[in-house]
């Protein structure tokens, strides 16, 4: 029961940010090669509507129609799920 409460309230273990970045890069590579990628190493608080979590911010750079395009993403630190992504 204690483990459930700890994880439910945000005390669970966090995934390695480098592993999350590899997952995101893999998804982007499905469409086209990437030029660069980054992820912050420290999880920070994040809230979208009523959902609160800790996240890593990261980014991907790739060419689209011969132009360099950047994307920023927000990934849940506990699950690795991408919560938000947008083109800059």
């Amino acid at each position: 029961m204690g483990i459930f409460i700890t994880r439910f309230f945000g005390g669970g273990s966090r995934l390695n940010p480098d592993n999350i970045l590899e997952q995101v890069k893999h998804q982007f590579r499905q469409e086209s090669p990437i030029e660069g990628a980054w992820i912050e190493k420290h999880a920070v608080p994040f809230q979208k509507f009523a959902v609160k979590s800790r996240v890593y911010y990261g980014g991907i750079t790739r060419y689209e129609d011969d132009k360099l395009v950047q994307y920023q993403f927000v990934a849940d630190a506990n699950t690795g799920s991408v919560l938000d992504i947008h083109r800059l």
Side-chain angles (χ1 to χ4, degrees):
M1 180 71 167
I3 293 172
F4 172 77
I5 292 172
T6 301
R7 288 189 178 211
F8 182 78
F9 289 104
S13 62
R14 293 192 181 91
L15 296 176
N16 182 319
D18 292 324
N19 293 342
I20 294 172
L21 181 59
E22 285 304 315
Q23 292 175 15
V24 174
K25 286 167 49 176
H26 176 75
Q27 294 299 316
F28 268 83
R29 283 191 196 112
Q30 304 276 332
E31 294 181 357
S32 66
I34 61 171
E35 290 296 311
W38 61 272
I39 193 164
E40 292 183 358
K41 302 295 182 177
H42 299 286
V44 296
F46 179 81
Q47 181 173 350
K48 188 163 189 174
F49 306 111
V51 179
K52 295 179 183 179
S53 62
R54 295 193 63 82
V55 301
Y56 297 115
Y57 284 91
I60 299 283
T61 304
R62 70 177 181 186
Y63 279 98
E64 294 178 2
D65 299 324
D66 297 323
K67 294 181 182 177
L68 203 56
V69 178
Q70 295 180 339
Y71 291 86
Q72 184 178 22
F73 66 87
V74 179
D76 186 279
N78 293 327
T79 67
S81 298
V82 174
L83 303 176
D84 196 10
I85 188 165
H86 64 276
R87 186 176 170 168
L88 301 177

